[in-house]
Amino acid sequence: MARIHEINIDGSVKRNFKGFKWVVTAIVVLAVAGASLTIVPAGNTGVVLTMGKVSSTSFQEGAHFKIPFVQSVENMSNKIQVYETPASAVSKDLQTVSSTLAVNYRLISDKSPDMYQNVGVDYQTILITPVVQECFKSATANYTAEQLITERQTVADDVKSALESKLNGYGIYIEKFNIVNFDFSEEFNNAIEAKQVAEQNLLKTKTEQEQAIVIANAEAEKKVISAKAEAEAIMAEAQANADANELLEKSLTPKVIAYQQIQKWNGVLPKVTGSDNGMLVNIDLDDIQKSSPDYNYIEPEYIPENDTLN
């Protein structure tokens, strides 16, 4: 059976455009499907807005369906973020302090809808910046300039605790707080340097004094040891002499003494001898003879030098 074609005015055959309708329908369906699907990136929370109103439910990371053209999704990052800012404050002793602060924080997932509804996506500028400045100034005022240097970690812990008490309620969790540096006035830096030099000089002097005391004590101890050794040597020598004398005394029997006298006698009678009472007695024979009553002294005859014996 022959098909009947519609003829245009110019005589050409009219074409059938039913395929075009299917293409349009497909495009509409794909557009609706695309509007119904949303993907929340990793580390984010999807805040659902229904006709601009924040819904009580939120989307976690991954693919989700929503009402097309009625609902929209705003992604809020829950990753750790770093906020760094300069800050200035006054210490307890009224020294001007300049510092650089670094805050590591993240947005708690469950609090993301409330944060978007109450603050918005620019919560770092609206909340974190002024709170960090306030907490730093408050903590710094409790410490002197020197304490800020020596107790730096304690100051940082104080600031972190203050930040947590003010920001946790909004759903902002403080991971870490760092005081990158402390800068003071030139006058204060010069004073600190002078103090350190004085302390170093004092420590050096103290060390030298202690060394001198140690050396003096060592010398004194050395002398004591030397004197003790010398005294012990003298005592040892004296004891040795005493022992030798005692041994000699025990060995000197009357027979030995008599024998020694005989061995050492040169044939000349002694002129002095001892008595029982310890007195010395003169035993010169010439004196004894002269003092005897029977002694008859004969004067020797003088013979001239020129006379000779016949």
Side-chain angles (χ1 to χ4, degrees):
M1 178 175 148
R3 298 182 61 183
I4 300 174
H5 297 282
E6 294 182 4
I7 304 299
N8 295 322
I9 298 175
D10 59 357
S12 63
V13 179
K14 291 185 177 180
R15 298 183 179 275
N16 191 349
F17 291 98
K18 291 183 179 180
F20 177 75
K21 295 180 180 179
W22 287 108
V23 172
V24 172
T25 302
I27 293 174
V28 172
V29 171
L30 290 175
V32 172
S36 301
L37 182 66
T38 185
I39 297 177
V40 178
N44 286 259
T45 297
V47 178
V48 180
L49 304 176
T50 303
M51 301 296 291
K53 181 181 179 180
V54 177
S55 301
S56 58
T57 59
S58 59
F59 293 156
Q60 301 303 314
E61 56 189 42
H64 301 273
F65 289 100
K66 61 183 180 64
I67 302 175
F69 311 113
V70 175
Q71 290 182 327
S72 61
V73 176
E74 186 71 34
N75 293 323
M76 300 284 285
S77 176
N78 302 126
K79 296 179 181 179
I80 295 177
Q81 303 179 62
V82 179
Y83 170 67
E84 188 170 315
T85 180
S88 61
V90 178
S91 64
K92 188 176 182 180
D93 53 352
L94 303 181
Q95 293 291 333
T96 301
V97 183
S98 298
S99 182
T100 300
L101 310 177
V103 184
N104 292 9
Y105 71 94
R106 62 181 176 85
L107 181 63
I108 300 174
S109 178
D110 295 341
K111 295 287 186 177
S112 297
D114 293 336
M115 178 63 73
Y116 184 85
Q117 183 177 19
N118 298 323
V119 180
V121 295
D122 196 17
Y123 52 87
Q124 177 175 290
T125 303
I126 298 172
L127 285 178
I128 297 178
T129 299
V131 172
V132 168
Q133 296 287 338
E134 177 188 354
C135 293
F136 177 69
K137 294 178 187 296
S138 178
T140 304
N142 296 325
Y143 297 88
T144 64
E146 186 174 353
Q147 288 175 330
L148 291 175
I149 299 174
T150 58
E151 302 178 27
R152 181 169 177 170
Q153 187 57 50
T154 302
V155 179
D157 292 340
D158 289 350
V159 177
K160 183 175 182 292
S161 298
L163 290 175
E164 291 174 342
S165 65
K166 291 181 177 295
L167 295 177
N168 283 3
Y170 291 96
I172 298 175
Y173 179 76
I174 305 300
E175 292 283 349
K176 191 174 183 180
F177 176 81
N178 289 318
I179 299 176
V180 179
N181 67 293
F182 273 127
D183 291 327
F184 300 92
S185 63
E186 184 178 356
E187 293 77 8
F188 179 78
N189 291 333
N190 293 336
I192 290 294
E193 183 178 358
K195 181 179 179 181
Q196 291 177 343
V197 171
E199 290 178 350
Q200 291 174 356
N201 291 336
L202 179 61
L203 180 61
K204 180 181 178 181
T205 302
K206 184 178 179 180
T207 302
E208 292 175 349
Q209 291 175 348
E210 291 176 350
Q211 290 177 347
I213 293 174
V214 171
I215 294 174
N217 290 337
E219 290 295 331
E221 186 176 357
K222 182 179 179 181
K223 291 181 180 179
V224 170
I225 294 174
S226 177
K228 185 177 180 180
E230 184 178 357
E232 290 178 352
I234 294 174
M235 290 294 295
E237 183 179 359
Q239 184 64 42
N241 291 334
D243 293 342
N245 291 336
E246 182 180 0
L247 181 63
L248 180 62
E249 182 179 357
K250 290 180 180 180
S251 65
L252 292 177
T253 62
K255 290 183 179 181
V256 173
I257 295 174
Y259 176 76
Q260 291 291 336
Q261 289 176 344
I262 293 172
Q263 291 294 323
K264 295 183 178 297
W265 188 43
N266 57 2
V268 179
L269 293 175
K271 296 181 179 183
V272 179
T273 187
S275 62
D276 294 338
N277 59 4
M279 298 296 292
L280 296 178
V281 180
N282 187 358
I283 57 173
D284 191 342
L285 294 179
D286 294 337
D287 293 339
I288 293 175
Q289 290 177 356
K290 289 180 181 181
S291 61
S292 174
D294 299 329
Y295 175 74
N296 189 10
Y297 177 76
I298 300 176
E299 182 71 26
E301 181 180 359
Y302 174 76
I303 300 176
E305 294 181 359
N306 295 328
D307 291 343
T308 60
L309 296 177
N310 294 324

